[in-house]
Amino acid sequence: MVPPAAKIRSAAEVDGIFGCVTLTVPTSFEPLDPLGLDLPSLVKEFGERWGKGEYHALALFRSIHRNGVCDPRVLPEYARNPSLAEAVGAQFPVRLPPVCGRSDDGSTYKFLLKLRDGLESESVVIPMRTYKSLCVSSQVGCKMGCTFCETARLGHLRDLDAGEIVAQVLVARHVLGEPIENVVFMGMGEPLDNLDNVLRAVRILSDRRGLGIPLPSITVSTVGHVDGIRQLARLAALPAPEGFPRLRLAVSLNAPNDTLRSRLMPVNRRWNLAQLREALLEFPLSRRDDYLFLEYVLLEGINDSHAHAQEIVELLRGIQACVNLIPLNPGPDSPYRRPPQTHVREFLQWLLDAGQRARLRGTKGADAMAACGQLGNPERKRARRE
Ligand code: SAH
């Protein structure tokens, strides 16, 4: 029997007894979901439970994230220690949430994961030229209340924990077999309203000993949560592993003056455009070719005039920013309309002519109700409540 936590044996001693006795873990240790643990935390847990264990912790971490193989009993690193494999399996049970729904429009598709409490997370697989991008949720629902966004209608049901965020990428990669190389936090929820879990997930996803998705290939998109942006700015200025250098930031602008923005996005009444601009000016960008992304959903007759384009240019003066124009994806009873494509192109041209870097984002996935702002549709809300 393994001694109580306070008198744990050395790794060599423990290794010596694995395989010849049944290993029992002191009852004070609760089983933990390893999907939400970064490697240093997993190593620490192994240390507390079984003395040292870096070798076995690393093997488990690598196998889960790189290969999607979660059972330690099948790993070569555990072959000589079947009792340890049993114990680790029992103490770190991996439950990848099952896919409980999928809607496809040919190229882009949305998938739903059934979470422990019966709620669902929603993620969107978006094909790029040579790889795929995954749009992940950070919360079930959202409390930000943007008037053009379908997710807002759900309200905030709860935050996702780091393991539930990581699970979306693992399922896309290893269950659905998608070559995900890019992750954007543009699914349900406001990531800066759940920053600790989002950062823990980013740390896990970017660890080279696991999936190794580089920080510049991960984008956190915020409604304009200024306190969160400032916190992220501090972390982006620090070197890894404590910091998150070159993690991408996107901000949903959607209106270039306070009157309109406060009408469309209640968050603007908490942090106005002057405060947002100040925070963006201070955000560290280490390279000349790094940009802040400003998302701008085009709503016909609301925010798409020439004067609006000029206001955007003024607002972003001095900020290394690229404006991503997103033609609205209207939900079933949206009060807004998408402008015609010719007008969308014209709006883009106004920005470019004024010297503002800008581009047009596609509307892939609109048919599958999978594009931006369409996650969490009202029928699902009713079904969930029932
Ligand atoms: N809360 C975060 C992330 C979720 S929204 C944020 O606000 O950035 C992700 C992106 O989808 C945002 O840029 C948002 O402006 C955009 N979006 C929301 N509803 C949309 C809709 N109906 N059509 C097109 N884009 C939408």
Side-chain angles (χ1 to χ4, degrees):
M1 225 185 77
V2 165
K7 288 189 243 140
I8 245 159
R9 296 177 202 230
S10 74
E13 276 178 291
V14 173
D15 277 348
I17 60 169
F18 288 142
C20 53
V21 294
T22 306
L23 193 85
T24 337
V25 175
T27 45
S28 54
F29 290 111
E30 290 291 319
L32 271 181
D33 171 14
L35 297 187
L37 294 177
D38 56 25
L39 183 56
S41 308
L42 191 63
V43 169
K44 182 166 161 279
E45 292 294 337
F46 267 63
E48 284 170 5
R49 281 156 215 248
W50 301 292
K52 276 200 245 156
E54 214 171 318
Y55 172 78
H56 289 105
L58 175 59
L60 182 66
F61 185 86
R62 198 168 36 210
S63 166
I64 291 174
H65 295 282
R66 282 204 190 157
N67 310 321
V69 175
C70 305
D71 184 350
R73 290 171 304 183
V74 304
L75 302 184
E77 291 87 349
Y78 285 75
R80 297 215 336 256
N81 290 320
S83 307
L84 177 62
E86 287 293 334
V88 170
Q91 283 286 295
F92 296 106
V94 182
R95 292 184 212 96
L96 271 187
V99 177
C100 62
R102 177 173 158 151
S103 52
D104 230 301
D105 77 345
S107 58
T108 299
Y109 66 89
K110 170 167 85 173
F111 66 86
L112 312 178
L113 298 183
K114 179 72 87 191
L115 306 173
R116 287 184 288 275
D117 55 3
L119 290 177
E120 293 158 6
S121 69
E122 308 192 347
S123 321
V124 187
V125 177
I126 305 163
M128 311 304 277
R129 239 172 252 137
T130 55
Y131 61 91
K132 291 192 179 175
S133 181
L134 187 70
C135 173
V136 294
S137 297
S138 55
Q139 298 176 319
V140 184
C142 184
K143 61 173 89 133
M144 295 299 148
C146 300
T147 54
F148 47 83
C149 178
E150 288 300 308
T151 307
R153 297 171 183 233
L154 281 174
H156 175 255
L157 300 186
R158 75 167 168 87
D159 291 346
L160 294 181
D161 66 32
E164 290 168 328
I165 296 171
V166 169
Q168 298 171 59
V169 185
L170 293 181
V171 167
R173 258 272 179 96
H174 302 304
V175 179
L176 303 170
E178 300 290 0
I180 303 297
E181 288 183 20
N182 193 81
V183 171
V184 294
F185 284 85
M186 292 186 186
M188 285 198 290
E190 166 53 36
L192 300 192
D193 189 35
N194 184 20
L195 189 56
D196 286 350
N197 284 312
V198 166
L199 289 179
R200 197 167 308 136
V202 169
R203 206 180 281 298
I204 295 167
L205 295 171
S206 59
D207 194 315
R208 281 201 220 114
R209 295 155 295 188
L211 278 172
I213 300 175
L215 291 175
S217 300
I218 302 180
T219 303
V220 174
S221 177
T222 173
V223 71
H225 187 302
V226 167
D227 286 353
I229 293 174
R230 289 191 186 284
Q231 226 173 316
L232 214 53
R234 277 193 292 279
L235 291 168
L238 294 176
E242 312 88 72
F244 295 84
R246 301 194 67 214
L247 177 65
R248 303 273 179 208
L249 178 68
V251 177
S252 299
L253 182 61
N254 301 331
N257 61 65
D258 282 321
T259 314
L260 181 56
R261 195 161 190 268
S262 295
R263 211 173 91 208
L264 300 177
M265 303 173 72
V267 71
N268 199 70
R269 297 173 210 153
R270 170 74 177 81
W271 292 288
N272 65 22
L273 282 170
Q275 291 167 304
L276 180 60
R277 182 181 146 78
E278 206 180 305
L280 295 185
L281 275 168
E282 286 167 18
F283 198 86
L285 296 173
S286 53
R287 301 199 186 179
R288 287 186 61 195
D289 55 347
D290 280 351
Y291 294 95
L292 296 173
F293 296 107
L294 275 295
E295 314 285 310
Y296 196 91
V297 179
L298 282 167
L299 312 169
E300 188 178 33
I302 306 283
N303 66 354
D304 63 344
S305 72
H306 187 238
H308 291 126
Q310 287 172 317
E311 279 182 302
I312 295 178
V313 176
E314 269 317 303
L315 181 73
L316 299 182
R317 202 169 290 287
I319 299 176
Q320 214 163 295
C322 176
V323 176
N324 285 340
L325 294 179
I326 314 170
L328 173 78
N329 295 309
D333 2 270
S334 173
Y336 305 109
R337 284 187 313 269
R338 176 193 302 189
Q341 194 62 9
T342 47
H343 183 65
V344 170
R345 294 206 168 279
E346 189 178 31
F347 195 88
L348 174 67
Q349 203 55 49
W350 288 332
L351 294 177
L352 295 174
D353 289 346
Q356 174 60 55
R357 185 174 286 267
R359 63 188 186 187
L360 193 57
R361 269 231 329 245
T363 54
K364 290 171 180 168
D367 295 345
M369 285 295 284
C372 299
Q374 294 191 316
L375 297 178
N377 60 54
E379 291 114 73
R380 194 157 296 287
K381 176 185 176 186
R382 277 196 293 278
R384 275 187 187 134
R385 292 258 158 91
E386 279 158 23

